[in-house]
Amino acid sequence: ILNVEQSPQSLHVQEGDSTNFTCSFPSSNFYALHWYRWETAKSPEALFVMTLNGDEKKKGRISATLNTKEGYSYLYIKGSQPEDSATYLCAFQGGSEKLVFGKGTKLTVNP
Amino acid sequence: NAGVTQTPKFQVLKTGQSMTLQCAQDMNHEYMSWYRQDPGMGLRLIHYSVGAGITDQGEVPNGYNVSRSTTEDFPLRLLSAAPSQTSVYFCASRSPPSPGDGYTFGSGTRLTVV
């Protein structure tokens, strides 16, 4: 069974803080790594899909990096805002459409 | 812009009853998947489809059937509901090629089996 680990499990930051969290995944049979943002009472929303080792993607204040050789990805949020409060999910894709999700990092940004 | 539509939003079933969770998308997406979300667990893949007439099992397929007769629809059938199937179910879709832009998720169906 594939293991996708996310840390920390939860995180509380103040408005304006920058923060980051980690997704660890198997380094073998890698095809893609997905990041999703999931706000309470809504559905998961795709942020990034990353495929290449060393890849870095950015959307506004959110960015992500990928290291496929060691099996990890970082998600960074610069200058956190209360509206960034959500659970951030990563999912490992190993060559088919079978995605394996981590349990998520729950971010709370206090005003 | 309907996206991925799931019905019903809420359902209570008695043990042993059967039902179908509906999922429809209007984005002409080839790939569709069903996930379940349980407390303390990540989203777990039940079944997926890469096109009409093609389905495959995910991580937790037991107790569920799927079919994909059209590109738009991907229903999930519970043949004989069990309390262990109490969960929130999400349908998701996306276009090829893989991996593309990630999946678009429906709003979920909250199922309780008593």
Side-chain angles (χ1 to χ4, degrees):
Chain A
I1 297 176
L2 286 174
N3 205 23
V4 178
E5 298 282 347
Q6 291 190 246
S7 61
Q9 200 171 357
S10 65
L11 194 55
H12 291 251
V13 301
Q14 290 299 123
E15 182 175 354
D17 288 350
S18 294
T19 187
N20 65 87
F21 18 95
T22 306
C23 173
S24 300
F25 52 86
S27 55
S28 60
N29 200 31
F30 174 86
Y31 187 72
L33 193 284
H34 297 232
W35 280 102
Y36 291 83
R37 167 193 161 89
W38 193 356
E39 292 182 70
T40 303
K42 294 189 177 180
S43 308
E45 177 188 345
L47 285 172
F48 307 113
V49 179
M50 309 175 78
T51 57
L52 299 175
N53 184 44
D55 206 4
E56 181 170 345
K57 296 210 171 184
K58 189 173 180 180
K59 184 183 287 191
R61 293 178 293 96
I62 305 177
S63 61
T65 61
L66 179 68
N67 183 323
T68 60
K69 294 189 190 308
E70 296 181 43
Y72 64 84
S73 176
Y74 294 138
L75 189 81
Y76 299 91
I77 303 179
K78 185 177 178 181
S80 303
Q81 300 297 309
E83 56 265 31
D84 295 328
S85 296
T87 296
Y88 292 84
L89 303 174
C90 68
F92 171 86
Q93 184 178 0
S96 68
E97 286 304 302
K98 290 184 180 183
L99 270 62
V100 179
F101 280 83
K103 295 180 182 179
T105 292
K106 184 175 181 180
L107 175 67
T108 304
V109 183
N110 300 310
Chain B
N1 33 316
V4 179
T5 302
Q6 291 184 237
T7 56
K9 292 193 184 311
F10 302 93
Q11 183 71 48
V12 178
L13 285 181
K14 292 183 179 177
T15 297
Q17 284 185 318
S18 63
M19 82 159 292
T20 299
L21 278 61
Q22 302 290 346
C23 176
Q25 51 88 12
D26 61 357
M27 298 171 285
N28 203 31
H29 285 173
E30 289 288 319
Y31 299 163
M32 297 186 76
S33 297
W34 276 103
Y35 291 89
R36 58 180 288 173
Q37 169 71 48
D38 301 295
M41 310 284 288
L43 288 165
R44 292 185 293 168
L45 181 65
I46 305 171
H47 286 283
Y48 69 100
S49 169
V50 296
I54 306 169
T55 64
D56 204 349
Q57 296 182 348
E59 183 186 349
V60 288
N62 292 341
Y64 307 96
N65 275 359
V66 291
S67 60
R68 184 97 180 270
S69 56
T70 67
T71 300
E72 293 77 22
D73 299 298
F74 191 40
L76 179 72
R77 295 185 194 84
L78 282 70
L79 302 175
S80 178
S84 60
Q85 294 179 305
T86 293
S87 188
V88 182
Y89 292 85
F90 287 95
C91 179
S93 72
R94 71 169 192 84
S95 275
S98 200
D101 293 329
Y103 275 85
T104 299
F105 281 79
S107 57
T109 294
R110 184 174 292 274
L111 176 69
T112 302
V113 183
V114 297

